[in-house]
Structure formats: structure tokens, C-alpha cells
Amino acid sequence: MNSLMPTPPTAVLPFVDPFGFGRAACDYWRDALERSMLYMDVMRLRGNQYLEHIEQTKPSVLGFETEVLMDGRELPRPVNYELLRVAPPEGGVTDPQMRPFVVVDPRAGHGPGIGGFKPDSEIGIALRAGHPCYFIGFLPYPVPGQTVEDVVEAEIAFLRHVGERHQETCEKPMVVGNCQAGWQIMMAASLEPDLFGPILIAGAPLSYWAGEHGRAPMRYTGGMSGGSWMTALLSDLGAGLFDGAFLVQNFERLNPANTWWHKQYRLYSRIDTEASRYLEFERWWGGHVVLGGEEIQYIVDNLFVGNRLSTAQLVTSDGRRIDLRNVRSPVVVFCSRGDDITPPPQALGWVRDLYEGVEDIIANEQTIVYCVHDTTGHLGIFVSGSVSRKEHAEFTANMDYIDVLPPGLYETTVSSAAERSDAELIERDYLLEFTPRTVEELDREVQHCPEDDTRFATVARISEINLGLYRLFLQPWIRALATPESAKWMRRMHPNRLGYRLLSDRNPLMVPVPVLAERVRAERHPLGEDNLFRVIESIVSDQITRGLNAWRDLRDSSIERLFLDLYGQPLLQALVGLGGDAHVHRRRPGAEPEHLRFIERRQSELREHIAEGGHHEAVMRALIHVLGGAPATDERNFKRLRTSRSELEPAASLADFKRLVRDQFFILTLDHQAALEAIPALLEGQTAAQIDEHLAHIEHVLAASGELSEHAADRFEHIKALFAQARPATPSLPSPGDAGTAPAPAAAIKPATATAARKTKRAKPAGGRAPEGGDKS
């Protein structure tokens, strides 16, 4: 190619082209032609990779060796899911005594494997930490007749099997659910809470009506299409199967600048270095699967449009209510403000839907932790290597800490050790910190709007009407005309699938592409970034991206305005039965009278245990008090406390230790003053040396995170005073006239409440006589 482009002698160039524009233009033109040819070859490889991938029996992008432990097709209610054991990479070792780690893949149009298709992934991080890892993936085609409920029951069976394999660990599996898998495992955990350890849901939508105006365009899709009848139509045209390519297409429309230009231009502009990364991602992004018509209809009706999961309105076929308040495991919600598919309001709105306040969360014995990333996109939450090495690595390393967190609502942040003044006290590169939050503070992320609830309730009613009309008038005709063969051709002709097939070796027009690309690689002349025309190309690309982004913003704002105006019409709301003021548009389970009675009864039961226990309870209560209401401000105190658990209570198991922490937090939350005043009574019977040892232990744990704040130091002084009250009085030497008389007893500590007085043993003097004039209450 270079020989066909003669150039004048070097000595003549300054006279012919004094400013170098001509040479820059020729160099740019040659580089542009070479990049174009290499780009077309990458597109050809992408098409070949796509065809090879979808023709596999079990396509997956999982980057680790696996072994099938359970096949969902063999269950009593068969499904197209599998439980896989993930083998560690060569040279890696897992410890069977450590907590098992289970990743559940999302089934939202793409193929399986996204949670572990790179070394720096959720599975990769867990394997490096030594955890036995398992993966719940799926096959490209559903079992005929399978339902969402069948899938949830299969995941329960898989988790039960994992638990049986690791009974000796005494630790329940940590379960990670990405995107759509998040709501699936939350449904499973609400039905069988005893099977689950800590739960991490990453980018998982649970509250579909929630969203901030101007930043949640996808939530209007159901309303602008008239409800779920379109889903039923596409499933009928697919002969009972719904093509996941339609879901992927919806995702791509959210960011047309990236879909139509930036992603492809990035490859074209960096063709010499970007090809392998691009092909790796496209292998998963283009691996479209299908869903059963009944499955997707259930999802759209009950979740996307009906929003029944976050309001405890789902009921299984055998009558069990799916109530997320039944989940007993700590729940970690990981979301991002840069995510336009599952923005923070949709990931966190379920907390506000189910609970009126933090005291409600505590009474339900639930621990909810949320982490909001500032910039990463939807896929970056569980795909980005930087996120996996930071947030996911910290979540994995601190599972036990999260598992022992007392009930309540917390926001967690991950800070770099290098940027902290106390870096010498931090073991790893990052530090996980927890801050207690209230439901009112959470509302800053949720941005709840009551008027929107009425609008979305109107959409749900209209969806039911339109779906009923479709089923009555059109569905019989569509089902009569659709055949498996027509459905197959409809899937093959989908634009998202056709683009891969046309740019593959199966297209005769692509035959010369690999030959020309090979010649270009042999005689490649890459162009420097300082070339004038390359700079202009970059500027033009930025302008195209900005133009597409402006068009997207105009489109989204117009759709939002139309949605709000249309479904906010009082006449339309009245026509669908939502005009009455007494009608509850959005169920609030936390405000229902029977639930409020449960909270009151639960609090009354806990108050009866304020003065029960011994020195273990006293020490833990003191620690929680000093640290401001949580067992630790960050992971360091917990690690110090857990390491020294053998000193505090040698015979106690880790489960007993966690129960101790949670119970004492409960008691302090219910009646802080009475709980503190009962500490001397809990220490009754301890010697002075033992009390000094307990104080030294508390100080040892507190020192893990550095110097105490002024407020914490004052609280510690208060604890020292309470422990001093429990110190036995030193008996004075008897005088000759008092020989044989026992020393007077120490003053009795009056319990804070009548209940505490009944629970506390009263001191007696030597000889068994009750003290004269003592408190007989």
C-alpha cells in the first residue's frame, strides 16, 4: 500500500509544503484507511465469535473452570438453571472452612457469566480471599412452562445444597445477586431466610416506581407503551418465547451516544490496542438469550408496572406472602448515581416502602447497608475491574463484620488508606466505614414523590385494562398465526442479532476483509496523536457525542413531561378508579395497624431483658455505648474484638458472639439510660481484678482505630465509673471488739426499672443475713 503513494525528496518538502499540512493530511489519510480496514476485520471477528457462542449448548463467558453440581432441569419443578462449583485458578487454593460465596447471574437478555468473566470480578475477588465459590447460571432457552416462582424455588434448592456442603463452617453462604438476580434472591430469602448469610445486591431494581425527575427515563417505558400488553404480543409472536434482544435494545436506547457512536469510535480510534477488550465484552453483550412468555409477563406485570415486590403484595401459588421484611440476613445494597438502568431510588426505595423509620427496621431485626457510587455505570457496578478491586474486595473481606452489624440502617463508604492520617492502622489498601442513617436521610437518595405514586398506579390500572382487551380480541389470532419457525426467523432478523450475522464470514462480501487486514498489519503506519487532522477527528467525535447526548436529553425530558401530564390528569385517574381520596395508591406495610402492634409488642419483650446477663453482656454493652451506638465505626474494632473473643468468652462460638452483639445493641437502642444503669448489676460477682481485666480489654479494642474522639472519651470515662460501682468493697480489718463479726456489705445497686430489680440477684452479707434497712423493692 505504501509503495503506491510516492513522496517527493525530503530536501524538497519544506519548499513544496512549508507548513506541513499536506504531509499531515497524507499521513492521516493513510492511517484512516488502515484503521478502517482493521476495524472491519474486528467486526468480522465479532460476528464469527457471536455465531460460535450462540451455537454452543451451554454458552457462557465465565472465565473460570466449573463443575456442575445440580441441574435445574432435574428438579421437581424444572428450570434452565444450574449450580456450578467454581474451581480456583491454577496455583490458587480455597479453604473449605471459610464461608461459601455464591454469585447469581442476571437473566435480562444477555447470556450467563458476567459475574466472573474477568480475573478482577466478584468471583475472582472471593477466590483470591480463599472462599469456596459457587455460581448459579442459566441456559439460553427456558424449560417449557417454567415460571419465576419455579426459578426462585430452584435457587432455594441450590442454596440448601451449598449449605449442606459446608455444614462444618457454621457460616451461611454469602449470596451476590447482580441486576435482575438481585430481586430473585431477595424473593428467595424472604421465603427461606434461614438459608442465607449476608446478601449483596448490586445494581438490582426492587422499587420500580421510584426515581428522580430528570434522571430515571426507563421507569416511564411501561406507561408510554400502554402497559404490559406489548410484552404479551412479543411473546405470542415468539411462539411462547420472549427474545431477550428486546430488553438489550431498551438498555442501548438509554445512551444512544455510546450505542451508536462512542463505543464504535473508541474501537476505531484505538484499533491497535482496543480490539481484544472490545471482543471480550461483545462476547457477553451479544450473547442474547430468550425468556419464557409466562416468566416475562409475570416480571412486567408484578415488578416493572405493578411494583408489588417492594410493597409485600406478591403471593406464591401456595399462598405464601413474599415480604422482604422476612429477610433475616444483612442486606448490602450497592448502586451508583451514574447508573441509568437502576438508579439509587430504584435500588433503595424498597426500604422506605416497607419501613416507617429506623426503629421499625430494628424491631424487625434487619440490618440494611447501602453504598452509593458516584460515577460508575450499570455494568460497571459488577463488571468494572476498579470497582471489583475496591468495593467488592472490601465487601468480601468484611462479610463477618457486616454479618455482626446490629440491626439498623447504615451507609458505608470505602476510603483509600493512603489518603488517611491513620494509614498505619489499616491492614489493606482501603478501609470500610459505616455510618448509621435514618429513613429520612435515605430519602435524599430515594427522592420520593407521592404524586408520582398516583400516576404509576394509573399506569398499572390501564395496563390491566389493555392486557385484558388484547387477550380478548387479538391474542387468539396472533397465537393461531405464530409458529416456532416464524418465531425463529423473527429472532434472527432482530436488528441487534442481524448486525452480528451480516458482518461475519457467512456473508460472502466479507471474504476479502481478512486478507486486506493482514496486509495492513504487516505494513502498519500508526499515526501520532499530535497530527492536526487526528486532533480535528477527535473534536468532531466529541461534537457528535454531545449532539447525541443533547438529543437524548430532549427525548427523555419530552417523554417525562408527556408521562407526568398524561397520567397526572384527574379525569384519567378517576376513570380507572383512583379518584377517591380514601384509595391507597401505594401500600405502606410499615404503617399498617397490625404491624405497629407487632413493633410495640417486640419492644416490650426486649425491655424485659435489660438487666439479664453477666459480665459478657456488660463488656459488649459498654463497647457499643462508647462507639456511639454501633459495635464499631469501621472494620478495625470488630477485627480486634473478634480476635480477642477467646479472651472475653473462650467457650463461645462465633454465632453466639454475633447474637451477643445484636442483643446488646437492641437493648441500648430501646432504653439507653436504663441499659447503662444496669451494667453494675451485670458485673455482680466479679472480683476487682476481673473488672480491671474487662476495662483493659475494652480499651484494647477501642485502640484499634486510633485515638478516641472527645465525645467517645467522655463516654469511656462514664463506663469506667459504672464499672467502679461494681467493684467489691475492700473489707476493713476487724477491731478486737468486733471479732467474729462479718464486714458490712457493699451498698446494693438499685436497678433502673422494676423489671430489672426482679431479674437482679440481691447481695447478702456473710452469714446469710439480709442487710438491715436495705431496699426491699
Side-chain angles (χ1 to χ4, degrees):
M1 182 179 293
N2 191 32
S3 61
L4 300 178
M5 301 175 63
T7 58
T10 305
V12 181
L13 286 177
F15 299 98
V16 176
D17 185 19
F19 298 103
F21 291 142
R23 282 171 287 171
C26 289
D27 291 343
Y28 174 77
W29 181 247
R30 179 179 60 192
D31 177 69
L33 288 176
E34 291 178 353
R35 281 188 290 150
S36 299
M37 187 55 60
L38 295 176
Y39 172 84
M40 288 302 298
D41 191 52
V42 173
M43 292 295 101
R44 179 187 67 85
L45 294 174
R46 184 189 73 154
N48 293 342
Q49 175 182 269
Y50 164 79
L51 293 173
E52 179 184 352
H53 184 71
I54 65 170
E55 289 170 0
Q56 294 177 5
T57 306
K58 296 182 179 181
S60 176
V61 296
L62 196 62
F64 298 89
E65 294 293 328
T66 59
E67 170 194 359
V68 178
L69 296 181
M70 290 185 68
D71 190 334
R73 293 171 296 182
E74 299 175 359
L75 294 174
R77 299 165 67 172
V79 295
N80 65 328
Y81 279 72
E82 294 179 324
L83 172 65
L84 309 174
R85 185 187 69 84
V86 182
E90 186 175 353
V93 179
T94 58
D95 183 356
Q97 298 299 319
M98 294 184 70
R99 185 197 298 271
F101 193 96
V102 182
V103 174
V104 186
D105 234 22
R107 185 160 158 253
H110 302 99
I114 191 63
F117 87 124
K118 294 193 297 186
D120 285 326
S121 60
E122 294 160 336
I123 288 182
I125 294 294
L127 285 173
R128 282 203 292 273
H131 294 274
C133 289
Y134 300 87
F135 189 81
I136 298 178
F138 52 88
L139 304 176
Y141 289 92
V143 174
Q146 79 177 41
T147 65
V148 170
E149 193 174 318
D150 295 337
V151 172
V152 171
E153 291 293 341
E155 291 174 351
I156 289 173
F158 294 157
L159 263 295
R160 183 175 288 111
H161 182 75
V162 171
E164 291 171 353
R165 288 174 60 92
H166 294 273
Q167 290 179 345
E168 69 282 358
T169 66
C170 300
E171 295 288 355
K172 297 172 184 176
M174 178 175 180
V175 186
V176 179
N178 297 319
C179 190
Q180 299 293 339
W183 57 257
Q184 287 182 359
I185 65 170
M186 288 294 283
M187 289 172 66
S190 69
L191 294 173
E192 296 288 345
D194 293 337
L195 297 177
F196 289 76
I199 297 172
L200 169 62
I201 50 178
L206 293 175
S207 186
Y208 294 86
W209 290 2
E212 181 182 354
H213 286 179
R215 301 188 65 179
M218 202 167 187
R219 67 178 180 149
Y220 304 120
T221 304
M224 300 315 297
S225 60
S228 67
W229 74 274
M230 284 289 293
T231 304
L233 172 62
L234 293 174
S235 297
D236 291 335
L237 289 172
L241 297 176
F242 181 88
D243 189 0
F246 287 109
L247 295 176
V248 177
Q249 192 175 53
N250 286 338
F251 299 151
E252 290 182 337
R253 286 172 177 167
L254 290 174
N255 192 350
N258 183 69
T259 301
W260 298 341
W261 178 258
H262 181 71
K263 182 171 71 170
Q264 305 303 328
Y265 174 73
R266 177 187 173 94
L267 172 64
Y268 171 74
S269 63
R270 307 176 185 179
I271 194 64
D272 298 302
T273 58
E274 190 72 10
S276 59
R277 189 205 65 83
Y278 178 87
L279 289 173
E280 180 185 36
F281 179 77
E282 285 294 305
R283 182 167 168 257
W284 174 76
W285 186 257
H288 307 118
V289 297
V290 298
L291 294 87
E294 191 174 349
E295 286 181 284
I296 191 64
Q297 196 66 42
Y298 178 97
I299 294 170
V300 175
D301 285 337
N302 291 293
L303 303 180
F304 296 169
V305 175
N307 193 49
R308 296 187 177 102
L309 177 60
S310 70
T311 51
Q313 296 181 74
L314 287 180
V315 180
T316 64
S317 57
D318 56 357
R320 293 175 295 167
R321 182 172 296 279
I322 299 175
D323 189 340
L324 300 183
R325 292 172 298 179
N326 293 335
V327 178
R328 298 273 70 87
S329 304
V331 179
V332 181
V333 181
F334 186 30
C335 54
S336 173
R337 297 184 182 92
D339 184 355
D340 53 2
I341 294 177
T342 306
Q346 292 190 5
L348 296 168
W350 64 280
V351 179
R352 191 193 177 281
D353 288 344
L354 291 173
Y355 299 108
E356 293 297 299
V358 172
E359 64 281 353
D360 199 356
I361 299 175
I362 294 172
N364 275 279
E365 301 185 35
Q366 273 206 319
T367 303
I368 302 172
V369 179
Y370 67 93
C371 179
V372 183
H373 198 280
D374 287 327
T375 58
T376 191
H378 181 70
L379 291 176
I381 292 175
F382 43 90
V383 171
S384 170
S386 61
V387 171
S388 292
R389 289 189 295 270
K390 184 179 178 183
E391 281 82 2
H392 282 290
E394 288 302 306
F395 293 144
T396 301
N398 289 283
M399 282 188 293
D400 286 335
Y401 177 57
I402 294 170
D403 201 11
V404 81
L405 268 177
L409 179 66
Y410 304 87
E411 182 178 10
T412 182
T413 55
V414 183
S415 57
S416 173
E419 299 173 357
R420 297 176 59 96
S421 58
D422 56 351
E424 70 280 356
L425 299 174
I426 303 174
E427 298 177 2
R428 296 186 309 279
D429 295 334
Y430 299 97
L431 179 69
L432 200 65
E433 298 178 280
F434 295 83
T435 305
R437 296 297 186 198
T438 64
V439 172
E440 291 72 25
E441 290 173 316
L442 182 70
D443 254 345
R444 299 171 189 168
E445 297 291 348
V446 175
Q447 305 265 338
H448 178 249
C449 178
E451 293 79 10
D452 283 356
D453 289 349
T454 308
R455 292 185 175 101
F456 283 103
T458 305
V459 172
R461 289 291 182 86
I462 290 178
S463 176
E464 293 173 359
I465 294 170
N466 288 342
L467 181 60
L469 293 173
Y470 167 76
R471 285 175 172 167
L472 179 64
F473 294 108
L474 286 180
Q475 191 174 64
W477 295 95
I478 299 295
R479 288 186 171 180
L481 294 173
T483 65
E485 192 62 27
S486 68
K488 179 180 178 180
W489 274 102
M490 187 180 77
R491 288 194 294 270
R492 294 184 68 175
M493 297 303 292
H494 191 283
N496 280 44
R497 294 177 182 268
L498 193 59
Y500 291 93
R501 192 176 296 271
L502 289 178
L503 296 178
S504 70
D505 283 339
R506 297 188 186 180
N507 183 350
L509 297 178
M510 297 294 289
V511 170
V513 170
V515 179
L516 294 174
E518 189 61 33
R519 182 175 178 183
V520 168
R521 291 190 184 95
E523 302 180 15
R524 180 77 171 102
H525 301 85
L527 189 64
E529 295 292 334
D530 57 347
N531 183 279
L532 173 64
F533 295 94
R534 186 67 185 267
V535 173
I536 295 174
E537 175 191 284
S538 178
I539 294 173
V540 171
S541 174
D542 290 342
Q543 291 300 319
I544 293 174
T545 300
R546 290 193 182 96
L548 289 171
N549 284 336
W551 176 81
R552 176 203 61 196
D553 294 342
L554 176 63
R555 177 200 65 185
D556 291 347
S557 61
S558 301
I559 289 175
E560 181 177 68
R561 188 72 266 161
L562 179 60
F563 178 92
L564 297 178
D565 290 344
L566 176 63
Y567 290 102
Q569 291 295 322
L571 176 60
L572 180 61
Q573 294 172 1
L575 287 174
V576 297
L578 299 178
D581 294 336
H583 185 82
V584 180
H585 302 157
R586 185 172 187 162
R587 184 171 180 258
R588 294 296 303 277
E592 293 174 350
E594 60 271 20
H595 185 69
L596 296 176
R597 287 194 295 270
F598 160 76
I599 299 300
E600 184 178 352
R601 184 172 65 253
R602 174 65 175 154
Q603 291 176 346
S604 177
E605 291 172 355
L606 289 171
R607 285 192 178 94
E608 295 180 0
H609 300 286
I610 286 180
E612 287 186 352
H615 63 277
H616 305 312
E617 286 75 11
V619 171
M620 185 58 65
R621 195 175 296 182
L623 277 168
I624 296 174
H625 170 69
V626 174
L627 292 167
T633 52
D634 58 55
E635 61 190 81
R636 293 170 293 181
N637 298 111
F638 169 70
K639 288 180 178 177
R640 178 72 62 83
L641 182 60
R642 184 179 177 185
T643 301
S644 58
R645 175 167 53 95
S646 58
E647 305 169 12
L648 178 67
E649 195 172 0
S653 66
L654 182 58
D656 293 333
F657 168 69
K658 293 176 180 179
R659 193 178 303 111
L660 174 66
V661 175
R662 296 170 76 90
D663 287 347
Q664 294 312 305
F665 177 82
F666 265 136
I667 290 170
L668 277 166
T669 303
L670 285 171
D671 197 333
H672 199 92
Q673 187 61 31
L676 292 179
E677 291 176 357
I679 285 180
L682 297 177
L683 292 169
E684 185 179 339
Q686 296 286 290
T687 66
Q690 288 173 325
I691 290 176
D692 290 340
E693 185 180 344
H694 296 327
L695 284 173
H697 178 83
I698 294 172
E699 193 166 6
H700 175 70
V701 173
L702 296 175
S705 54
E707 187 177 352
L708 292 177
S709 66
E710 183 178 351
H711 183 60
D714 290 341
R715 289 189 169 206
F716 190 33
E717 291 301 319
H718 184 204
I719 290 297
K720 289 179 180 178
L722 291 172
F723 274 59
Q725 290 181 32
R727 187 184 299 274
T730 303
S732 58
L733 293 175
S735 63
D738 294 332
T741 304
I749 303 296
K750 184 176 180 179
T753 64
T755 302
R758 290 194 299 270
K759 300 289 183 180
T760 307
K761 297 178 181 178
R762 293 170 53 193
K764 292 185 179 182
R769 295 177 301 173
E772 297 179 4
D775 186 0
K776 299 180 181 179
S777 61

